[in-house]
Structures are given as C-alpha cells and as structure tokens.
Amino acid sequence: MLTTERHQFILSILKEQGTVKLQELVDQLQASESTIRRDLVQLEEMKLLKRVHGGASLLQRKGLEPTTMEKQYKARAEKQLIAKLAASFIEKNDCIYLDAGTTTAEMIPYLKDKNITVLTNGLMHIPKLIELEIKTVLVGGTIKFSTNAIIGSNAVQFLNEYRFDKCFLGMNGIHQELGFTTPDPEEALLKKMALRLSNETYVLADSSKLNEATFAKVADVSDAIILTDSNDEEAVAYLQKNPKVKVVTI
C-alpha cells in the first residue's frame, strides 16, 4: 500500500473512532510497526493528528468542548488516581477552590474529615459535598448547561471576594508554549481569577490533554503544578525539560 493510502486509512479510522492503537493499524494495514510509527510522525507534523502513548488521536477543535456526560467515563481510572494525588496536598483547615469538572469531582471522596472549606463553581460537586457534610460555598453566576459549571462576569466578581490556600483546576489543553487553555473564554477568566487568588494552584489533567491547545488561554504552564498520568511519557518528558514547569505524575 502506498504511503498516501496508509495516511488516508489512518485518518479515516481516527475520524470514525477518535483514537486508534498502533497495533490495530499494524494489523489492519499489514505493515511493520516502524512504518506505522513513521506515518504517525508525518501526520503529526502535518497537524492532522496527535501521537499518544500506544497510538494516535484526533486533535481537539479549539472551541469545541465535550459535555460532562461525554467526559465522565473517559480515562476514568487515570482521573481517579490523579484526584487522589491532588487530595493528598490538602491539609486540615485549608480553604480550597474546586473547579468544575470530572477530574476534580473525583477528589471529593478524599476530602472527608479534613475540616476544610470548599468554594466551587461546579454544580455537579454539590450533592457529594452535601453528603459528606463538607463546608461549601457555591459561586454565584450563570449556569453553563453543557458542563454544569457556573461562569460569567458575576461569577468572577463573586470569586474576587475570596482567597484560597489551594486551588484545583481542570484544563482542556496543556502546551509548553501555548500554556493552559480551555475552549470557553468565560471559563478561562474564572480559572485565571481562581489561580491568581490562591497560594498554590494545581492543574489536574489526564495525559490526553498534554501537547493540546484550545481557544482561550488561562495561564502559562509554569504558573501551576501539573498533576497527570504517565501514559504519554514523551509529552510528560517534553514538559519536564523546562525547569520552571512542575509536573507530578501518578
């Protein structure tokens, strides 16, 4: 099969599935692993896909954000481990900001008996926080239905009245040069404000978010500690080349 035909096949599989394993391509194309790896490198250089550990995935659209339901079960095991790691940084009597998102939601079971105060813009967090009787302040503002997050100018003004020991943010993209990004500019403003008002900030993101960039910048990657998994070792190593960037992996 010609190189262009293999490339077309790889892109068609990605368009259909979103991700593809290297071994799957080797089997279906009946080509060597080195040939397929070379194809993936070429397609990544053409900005047609993103190589990930063990295969490839489609690049994120800059302004497209999956709903909470779509994100809930993606990389669930990794999110739970990242959340457990994040919660280990919380000390008794801390006041924390807990960003809306499926990864930050996984932190809540680990917050019990820490005697902390949580301020959050995540509506999906509230039932769990109530169940565990964790002192909680809910940000006031406009509800974003697709992600159950509270956003908008009122939310930013509300947040400005508080200060935090630690801030835990979700993020859609983490890129060495382009920084922390999210598809929604209004959410970006709220995340930026929370980061500015906190003594320490942690960004929770599974490795599929590494080397990705979406529409609105939140901050530089050196402005927060990145908590992620090591499934994409190449992306993690690339971030760690910068001595100003702090990355902790599970």
Side-chain angles (χ1 to χ4, degrees), residues 134-197:
I134 295 170
K135 184 179 178 181
T136 302
V137 178
L138 181 63
V139 172
T142 303
I143 298 172
K144 181 178 177 180
F145 298 117
S146 61
T147 59
N148 290 324
I150 297 174
I151 60 170
S153 58
N154 288 338
V156 173
Q157 289 174 17
F158 184 99
L159 204 61
N160 194 39
E161 299 302 314
Y162 295 85
R163 303 295 181 268
F164 317 107
D165 295 299
K166 298 176 180 79
C167 169
F168 298 89
L169 300 177
M171 211 65 65
N172 294 74
I174 299 175
H175 192 281
Q176 177 78 274
E177 287 80 31
L178 303 177
F180 297 119
T181 54
T182 190
D184 189 330
E186 287 194 282
E187 282 201 82
L189 284 174
L190 198 64
K191 292 175 192 285
K192 188 179 296 187
M193 175 65 78
L195 186 152
R196 186 172 69 82
L197 298 174

Side-chain angles (χ1 to χ4, degrees), residues 109-123:
Y110 303 106
L111 304 183
K112 189 178 180 182
D113 301 325
K114 285 184 179 283
N115 194 33
I116 63 171
T117 300
V118 174
L119 194 147
T120 183
N121 72 321
L123 289 174

Side-chain angles (χ1 to χ4, degrees), residues 29-225:
L29 290 168
Q30 296 184 333
S32 69
E33 186 173 309
S34 60
T35 296
I36 299 302
R37 285 186 186 278
R38 190 162 54 248
D39 287 338
L40 296 181
V41 169
Q42 291 171 350
L43 289 167
E44 185 176 50
E45 289 173 349
M46 297 162 66
K47 300 189 182 299
L48 295 173
L49 57 74
K50 175 191 173 185
R51 285 185 299 144
V52 296
H53 183 68
S57 67
L58 283 176
L59 291 172
Q60 288 191 49
R61 293 183 181 179
K62 302 301 184 192
L64 182 64
E65 182 167 17
T67 64
T68 298
M69 288 298 292
E70 290 170 328
K71 292 188 286 187
Q72 189 169 8
Y73 299 106
K74 185 179 178 183
R76 181 76 184 275
E78 287 84 354
K79 289 177 179 179
Q80 289 173 334
L81 290 171
I82 293 166
K84 184 177 181 180
L85 173 63
S88 72
F89 292 102
I90 298 173
E91 301 172 79
K92 284 197 172 185
N93 303 311
D94 272 348
C95 295
I96 72 167
Y97 179 78
L98 194 63
D99 194 18
T102 53
T103 308
T104 49
E106 299 289 353
M107 290 178 61
I108 297 173
Y110 303 106
L111 304 183
K112 189 178 180 182
D113 301 325
K114 285 184 179 283
N115 194 33
I116 63 171
T117 300
V118 174
L119 194 147
T120 183
N121 72 321
L123 289 174
M124 78 290 284
H125 298 341
I126 299 304
K128 293 179 185 177
L129 290 165
I130 291 173
E131 182 184 341
L132 296 177
E133 297 183 353
I134 295 170
K135 184 179 178 181
T136 302
V137 178
L138 181 63
V139 172
T142 303
I143 298 172
K144 181 178 177 180
F145 298 117
S146 61
T147 59
N148 290 324
I150 297 174
I151 60 170
S153 58
N154 288 338
V156 173
Q157 289 174 17
F158 184 99
L159 204 61
N160 194 39
E161 299 302 314
Y162 295 85
R163 303 295 181 268
F164 317 107
D165 295 299
K166 298 176 180 79
C167 169
F168 298 89
L169 300 177
M171 211 65 65
N172 294 74
I174 299 175
H175 192 281
Q176 177 78 274
E177 287 80 31
L178 303 177
F180 297 119
T181 54
T182 190
D184 189 330
E186 287 194 282
E187 282 201 82
L189 284 174
L190 198 64
K191 292 175 192 285
K192 188 179 296 187
M193 175 65 78
L195 186 152
R196 186 172 69 82
L197 298 174
S198 181
N199 290 340
E200 300 172 19
T201 298
Y202 300 85
V203 169
L204 288 63
D206 65 84
S207 59
S208 69
K209 312 291 179 57
L210 304 183
N211 282 344
E212 289 281 0
T214 54
F215 184 57
K217 182 177 178 179
V218 176
D220 293 329
V221 288
S222 58
D223 290 337
I225 299 168

